[in-house]
């Protein structure tokens, strides 16, 4: 069993603490021994990730060594919030304040698992939901041509209600620009549209109350051939948009030149997901129904369509990719019902096609995953960790690293076909939370970049928020939660 301590006990801390009180543990309302025993039990029962990213994750959310010292020469990890606050009062770190690592160590304990509270209810399926980079705005897109922008800091009031133009089937993806002034949205069409989010127009009806500028990703020599855009992302500088399409290609659109600046014949099937790897914009990650994740380096294309490397390990198509932001690590959600963690230093120069395992017929759009396929493993799996427990069916379900600012990216979270949201510990692979509310598939969810708040959207039309402890109150004492762990290898 995995135990997560949500206890704070900070109500009576308006006085100075002696070093004896701090070191003896008398100030801690929770059981430190119990926490340590629970932690060691996890390490014995699970195969912890033995890789650079495990050390990096621990360092990012590690408190100052003086704050973690229980007795001289002996350290405790994790450190209770009460002891850290007491240590700060006593200035044990000699800084007079918490470092970013100290803050992450505290904040990462408070998972957004309380609630939920309904933000909005719509009559059509929710496909996309994302916080802006600073968390002040939240965007949700629905199958019925509607995109809503909520002002998070003003009680989740609808700041802009957008009715999409030239919609085909559904809004497949949307993305806010880094400066939060513009939003792009795509559907099963080669035309992507741009909306001015910063305008005063609240009801944005395409080309009636407001212009929705069209970005044409098609080529004049294609003779009217039409394809759809599954995924699109802004670059960090907001000058480019990368897109993955149903014609097996990747496109980069230059917003200043107003034209496609790069087209890559990338995969052997639909490109379901793309993203820039880091702030530089040089590296692009892509995932496809051909089961491969690929890495593209725009600085050194040796030949048309030649990737910098290929990542093999999924047995079915890739539904989503999220970058760690460092140009090295990424995670992918797959139709083989697994999330995989990758280090691009382990990628191959060429893809090895492996179909020997497939002795069954299966279509994820309407069939359950075959029981005989659940224990299969790719013989050339290059991933460094696999996370299981959620289900990936019917639609391109998304997964993400938790925010760096508040958690040090120590968690992975995902929607699921079983109507739940799953949160996994990146290093141990433990399932640390399973959030239940929705009545249908949860395609997307988003963790606030600064606060312990998560918002999920579902095919039931509900957009709901989960918090710790909820509704913005100060953290209150809570019992330890016993949470089930899931298979990890």
């Amino acid at each position: 069993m995995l135990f997560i301590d949500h206890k704070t006990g900070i109500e009576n801390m308006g006085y100075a603490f002696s070093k004896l009180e701090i070191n003896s543990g008398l100030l801690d309302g929770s059981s430190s021994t119990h926490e340590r025993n629970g932690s060691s039990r996890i390490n014995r029962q699970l195969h912890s990730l033995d890789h650079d990213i495990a050390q990096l994750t621990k360092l990012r959310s590690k408190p100052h060594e003086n704050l973690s010292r229980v007795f001289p020469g002996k350290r405790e990890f994790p450190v209770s919030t009460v002891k850290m606050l007491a240590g700060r009062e006593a200035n044990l770190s000699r800084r007079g304040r918490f470092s970013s690592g100290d803050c992450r160590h505290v904040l990462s304990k408070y998972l957004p698992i309380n609630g939920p509270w309904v933000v909005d209810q719509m009559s059509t399926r929710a496909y996309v939901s994302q916080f802006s980079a600073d968390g002040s705005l939240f965007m949700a897109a629905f199958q019925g041509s509607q995109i809503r922008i909520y002002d998070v800091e003003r009680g989740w009031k609808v700041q802009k209600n957008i009715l999409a133009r030239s919609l085909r089937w559904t809004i497949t993806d949307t993305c806010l620009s880094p400066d939060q002034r513009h939003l792009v949205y795509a559907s099963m069409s080669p035309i992507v549209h741009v909306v001015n989010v910063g305008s005063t127009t609240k009801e944005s009806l395409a080309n009636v109350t407001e212009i929705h500028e069209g970005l044409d990703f098609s080529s004049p020599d294609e003779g009217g051939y039409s394809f759809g855009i599954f995924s699109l992302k802004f670059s960090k500088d907001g000058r480019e948009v990368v897109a993955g399409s149903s014609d097996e290609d990747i496109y980069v659109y230059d917003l200043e030149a107003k034209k496609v600046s790069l087209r890559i014949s990338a995969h052997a099937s639909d490109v379901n997901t793309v993203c820039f790897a880091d702030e530089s914009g040089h590296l692009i990650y892509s995932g496809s129904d051909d089961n491969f994740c690929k890495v593209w380096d725009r600085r050194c294309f040796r030949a048309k369509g030649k990737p910098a490397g290929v990542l093999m390990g999924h047995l079915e198509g890739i539904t989503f990719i999220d970058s760690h932001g460092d140009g090295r690590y990424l995670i992918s959600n797959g139709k083989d019902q697994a999330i995989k963690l990758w280090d691009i230093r382990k990628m191959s120069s060429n893809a090895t096609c492996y179909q020997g395992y497939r002795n069954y017929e299966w279509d994820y759009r309407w069939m359950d995953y075959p029981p005989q396929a659940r224990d299969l493993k790719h013989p050339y799996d290059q991933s460094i960790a696999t996370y299981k427990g959620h289900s990936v069916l019917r639609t391109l379900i998304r997964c993400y690293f938790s925010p760096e600012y508040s958690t040090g990216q120590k968690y992975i979270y995902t929607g699921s076909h079983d109507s739940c949201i799953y949160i996994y510990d990146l290093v141990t692979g433990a399932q640390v939370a399973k959030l239940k509310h929705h009545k249908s598939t949860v395609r997307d969810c988003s963790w606030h970049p600064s606060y312990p708040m998560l918002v999920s959207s579902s095919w039931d039309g509900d957009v709901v928020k989960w918090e710790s402890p909820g509704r913005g109150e100060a953290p209150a004492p809570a019992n330890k939660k016993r949470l089930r762990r899931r298979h990890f290898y």
Side-chain angles (χ1 to χ4, degrees):
M1 294 295 179
L2 175 64
F3 297 91
I4 299 178
D5 185 16
H6 296 282
K7 185 166 288 193
T8 59
I10 62 175
E11 296 86 353
N12 300 315
M13 296 194 62
Y15 57 92
F17 301 99
S18 73
K19 210 163 187 178
L20 174 62
E21 289 174 315
I22 297 169
N23 289 341
S24 67
L26 295 176
L27 295 173
D28 191 0
S30 63
S31 172
S32 299
T33 302
H34 192 64
E35 287 179 356
R36 290 196 299 274
N37 289 343
S39 178
S40 64
R41 193 155 50 242
I42 295 167
N43 292 332
R44 287 199 303 270
Q45 291 179 348
L46 294 174
H47 302 288
S48 293
L49 179 61
D50 183 19
H51 195 273
D52 293 349
I53 193 172
Q55 184 65 18
L56 174 64
T57 303
K58 290 175 182 177
L59 287 173
R60 281 181 170 180
S61 57
K62 182 180 180 181
H64 191 278
E65 60 180 8
N66 287 344
L67 297 180
S68 63
R69 186 174 289 122
V70 183
F71 298 105
K74 185 177 180 181
R75 294 175 185 171
E76 174 191 26
F77 194 84
V79 187
S80 74
T81 304
V82 175
K83 284 185 177 178
M84 290 192 65
L85 289 169
R88 185 184 67 177
E89 291 291 320
N91 197 23
L92 294 186
S93 66
R94 303 293 186 266
R95 287 182 301 228
R97 60 180 177 81
F98 280 159
S99 68
S100 59
D102 296 334
C103 293
R104 289 169 184 154
H105 185 76
V106 173
L107 286 171
S108 63
K109 294 182 180 184
Y110 297 95
L111 293 175
I113 60 174
N114 290 347
W117 291 272
V118 175
V119 171
D120 206 349
Q121 291 179 307
M122 302 291 285
S123 59
T124 58
R125 294 173 173 179
Y127 269 72
V128 186
S129 57
Q130 287 294 296
F131 278 106
S132 61
D134 67 358
S136 64
L137 301 177
F138 182 83
M139 175 273 303
F142 303 86
Q143 188 172 11
S145 304
Q146 206 158 14
I147 305 169
R148 286 193 162 186
I149 309 293
Y150 304 88
D151 189 330
V152 176
E153 297 173 350
R154 294 181 59 199
W156 293 85
K157 292 183 178 180
V158 176
Q159 175 175 303
K160 203 173 193 70
N161 189 44
I162 302 167
L163 290 180
R165 180 186 180 190
S166 305
L167 185 72
R168 293 187 183 176
W169 174 241
T170 184
I171 296 167
T172 52
D173 203 4
T174 65
C175 187
L176 280 167
S177 61
D179 62 7
Q180 300 175 190
R181 294 176 59 188
H182 296 91
L183 176 141
V184 291
Y185 64 86
S187 67
M188 295 306 294
S189 162
I191 308 296
V192 168
H193 291 93
V194 184
V195 184
N196 185 355
V197 176
S199 71
T200 57
T201 304
K202 181 176 180 180
E203 296 296 327
S204 180
L205 178 58
N207 294 359
V208 175
T209 62
E210 194 168 43
I211 297 297
H212 291 197
E213 182 183 358
L215 311 179
D216 192 351
F217 281 72
S218 64
S219 174
D221 58 3
E222 289 181 328
Y225 170 72
S226 184
F227 56 87
I229 302 293
F230 285 116
S231 175
L232 74 170
K233 293 288 185 296
F234 273 102
S235 59
K236 292 295 183 181
D237 60 12
R239 295 179 178 179
E240 296 179 313
V241 173
V242 62
S245 74
S246 63
D247 68 353
E248 307 173 2
D249 290 355
I250 296 172
Y251 297 83
V252 176
Y253 194 96
D254 187 320
L255 294 170
E256 293 182 351
K258 295 188 176 181
K259 66 178 183 178
V260 173
S261 60
L262 179 64
R263 178 179 178 180
I264 307 170
S265 298
H267 289 271
S269 190
D270 293 348
V271 181
N272 295 326
T273 175
V274 289
C275 67
F276 288 102
D278 55 21
E279 293 183 354
S280 72
H282 297 313
L283 292 179
I284 296 172
Y285 299 146
S286 64
S288 167
D289 273 337
D290 64 10
N291 304 357
F292 297 123
C293 296
K294 292 186 178 182
V295 181
W296 308 89
D297 192 335
R298 301 166 65 186
R299 297 166 295 185
C300 55
F301 276 125
R302 291 171 289 177
K304 186 178 180 181
K306 183 70 173 179
V310 181
L311 296 164
M312 297 175 287
H314 278 292
L315 295 171
E316 301 289 347
I318 316 301
T319 64
F320 197 75
I321 282 175
D322 187 41
S323 174
H324 197 252
D326 53 11
R328 179 174 296 176
Y329 299 104
L330 64 146
I331 54 172
S332 59
N333 223 353
K335 297 176 184 179
D336 54 2
Q337 316 302 300
I339 293 173
K340 285 187 176 289
L341 173 66
W342 311 90
D343 180 346
I344 68 171
R345 294 172 297 181
K346 295 179 177 289
M347 62 189 178
S348 299
S349 57
N350 293 298
T352 302
C353 186
Y354 174 66
Q355 296 293 336
Y357 68 93
R358 196 75 182 268
N359 58 359
Y360 53 85
E361 292 295 326
W362 176 67
D363 189 325
Y364 99 118
R365 292 173 296 179
W366 57 276
M367 299 171 68
D368 290 334
Y369 195 59
Q372 66 268 33
R374 293 189 177 276
D375 296 325
L376 294 175
K377 295 183 181 180
H378 197 294
Y380 311 114
D381 191 353
Q382 297 165 306
S383 65
I384 57 177
T386 301
Y387 308 80
K388 290 188 175 183
H390 61 294
S391 58
V392 183
L393 297 169
R394 310 298 185 265
T395 187
L396 304 177
I397 292 173
R398 303 178 167 199
C399 65
Y400 303 93
F401 291 99
S402 63
E404 179 180 357
Y405 177 84
S406 58
T407 71
Q409 295 179 295
K410 69 181 294 183
Y411 303 111
I412 288 171
Y413 64 103
T414 179
S416 179
H417 172 64
D418 66 3
S419 310
C420 299
I421 301 97
Y422 289 76
I423 304 175
Y424 301 102
D425 186 290
L426 173 70
V427 176
T428 68
Q431 178 191 303
V432 297
K434 179 180 178 181
L435 310 182
K436 300 179 180 181
H437 163 79
H438 293 287
K439 303 293 191 297
S440 188
T441 301
V442 178
R443 188 179 191 268
D444 204 1
C445 47
S446 185
W447 196 313
H448 192 283
S450 305
Y451 305 121
M453 176 194 298
L454 187 147
V455 178
S456 58
S457 60
S458 167
W459 277 11
D460 62 12
D462 283 4
V463 178
V464 301
K465 65 175 180 175
W466 310 78
E467 295 181 286
S468 175
R471 292 190 184 269
E473 304 99 328
N479 295 326
K480 295 181 185 291
K481 306 292 184 181
R482 296 194 174 198
L483 300 169
R484 297 170 60 189
R485 83 182 153 84
R486 289 283 181 161
H487 179 64
F488 172 85
Y489 61 84

